[in-house]
Amino acid sequence: MTKPMTDIRALAARRARATADGMFLHEAALTELQDRLDMVNKSFTDAALVTGHTGFWAQHYAGAKIVADAETIDLAPQSHDLVAHMMALHWANDPVGQLIQCRRALRPDGLFIAVSFGGDTLQELRRALGEAEIAVTGGLSPRIAPLPELRDLGGLLQRAGFSLPVADTTTLTVEYRDIWHLMLDIRAMGEANALATRLRQPTRRAVFDHAQALYAHHFAAPSGRLRASFELQVLTGWAPDASQPQPLRPGSAKTRLADALGIPEKPLRD
């Protein structure tokens, strides 16, 4: 049996220590969610929201059913016309399973939206810590969860059974005084290392000192502060319904592409 990526008990402990000041990326995710809903010419009456930070999201979506991102999500089949999975999918041991459960909770033509961290998140910290640890200790320990690339997410939506899948991304850049203030912010977000294979003993101070020097050398902003990237990936998909646009069967087109574009058709050379 494959060992899970995330230590669920450790993740719960990290999230329990999150603070209001650390929720600024959830505020950004909230804006992304509202922007997507504003684009849809449809009203929703039975919304559900899946997240690891139920308190924050309950403040903003009081009328929605707010549930935790447990391995088995507490949503009944076909009980909602909108399901949002907020800032938690990147910790899922079975992300496709999470998507499938959300799809099953949707009625036909119901909308699914997810916002989570993408592969460019904390790329600067990952590089600085990795190089520093190798230089100081001669080894490398898991510190930041492997995050998905955007090109993979559309396929995950299709595997989960969604129609009209769309995946897009936005990157936010935040500046910090030094690497220690960045790590304090990560703890305030409830996003500190909860990997099952994480190092279980304190890291030597020399690793962080060297990482600070590398970070400042490679990723300093014009202000002299350190830049940190947070990529938010946004997924949207619909529960299949006969009313949705359907792709044509291959070979069923009645007009040539050249005619539609108004250009002469040239045969390919042998």
Side-chain angles (χ1 to χ4, degrees), residues 8-266:
I8 299 301
R9 296 180 68 177
L11 178 60
R14 308 290 191 267
R15 287 171 168 175
R17 291 194 290 268
T19 68
D21 289 341
M23 292 293 103
F24 65 94
L25 291 173
H26 286 255
E27 295 280 0
L30 176 66
T31 300
E32 292 291 333
L33 174 59
Q34 194 56 53
D35 285 347
R36 296 315 189 280
L37 293 176
D38 289 343
M39 296 177 189
V40 179
N41 186 23
K42 183 175 181 177
S43 59
F44 300 96
T45 57
D46 294 303
L49 204 145
V50 183
T51 182
H53 295 272
T54 55
F56 171 87
W57 288 94
Q59 296 174 28
H60 298 280
Y61 283 90
K65 180 175 182 178
I66 312 292
V67 298
D69 59 322
E71 291 188 9
T72 301
I73 302 174
D74 184 22
L75 296 176
Q78 296 194 14
S79 55
H80 299 279
D81 54 7
L82 170 66
V83 174
H85 202 297
M86 290 291 104
M87 300 297 282
L89 197 58
H90 54 280
W91 281 118
N93 285 317
D94 181 12
V96 175
Q98 292 280 303
L99 297 179
I100 290 173
Q101 291 181 73
C102 290
R103 180 185 57 76
R104 289 174 176 168
L106 286 169
R107 300 176 190 135
D109 203 35
L111 176 62
F112 171 75
I113 301 177
V115 183
S116 65
F117 288 125
D120 284 343
T121 297
L122 296 176
Q123 57 176 311
E124 304 90 352
L125 180 63
R126 185 185 296 113
R127 176 178 164 183
L129 277 175
E131 291 184 13
E133 191 168 23
I134 290 172
V136 174
T137 70
L140 187 64
S141 59
R143 295 185 180 276
I144 298 176
L147 300 169
E149 298 296 332
L150 187 66
R151 63 179 176 269
D152 300 325
L153 295 178
L156 293 183
L157 287 169
Q158 289 181 320
R159 284 177 59 190
F162 287 103
S163 62
L164 309 175
V166 176
D168 61 272
T169 182
T170 184
T171 299
L172 307 176
T173 302
V174 184
E175 294 184 5
Y176 291 91
R177 188 174 73 192
D178 52 42
I179 196 172
W180 292 279
H181 281 79
L182 168 56
M183 291 188 291
L184 284 173
D185 230 7
I186 293 171
R187 293 190 188 99
M189 298 173 195
E191 297 289 341
N193 191 352
L195 294 172
T197 55
R198 69 191 183 279
L199 190 67
R200 302 303 176 103
Q201 61 194 44
T203 299
R204 292 165 57 183
R205 172 72 185 216
V207 172
F208 294 120
D209 288 339
H210 192 42
Q212 165 65 23
L214 290 169
Y215 207 133
H217 177 72
H218 292 292
F219 304 112
S223 63
R225 295 166 69 86
L226 305 185
R227 293 181 284 108
S229 300
F230 295 93
E231 182 188 12
L232 296 183
Q233 293 177 337
V234 184
L235 310 181
T236 58
W238 295 83
D241 185 70
S243 65
Q244 296 166 351
Q246 303 296 319
L248 295 174
R249 290 182 296 105
S252 63
K254 295 181 173 56
T255 303
R256 297 184 309 159
L257 180 60
D259 294 339
L261 296 175
I263 60 175
E265 184 176 17
K266 296 181 180 180

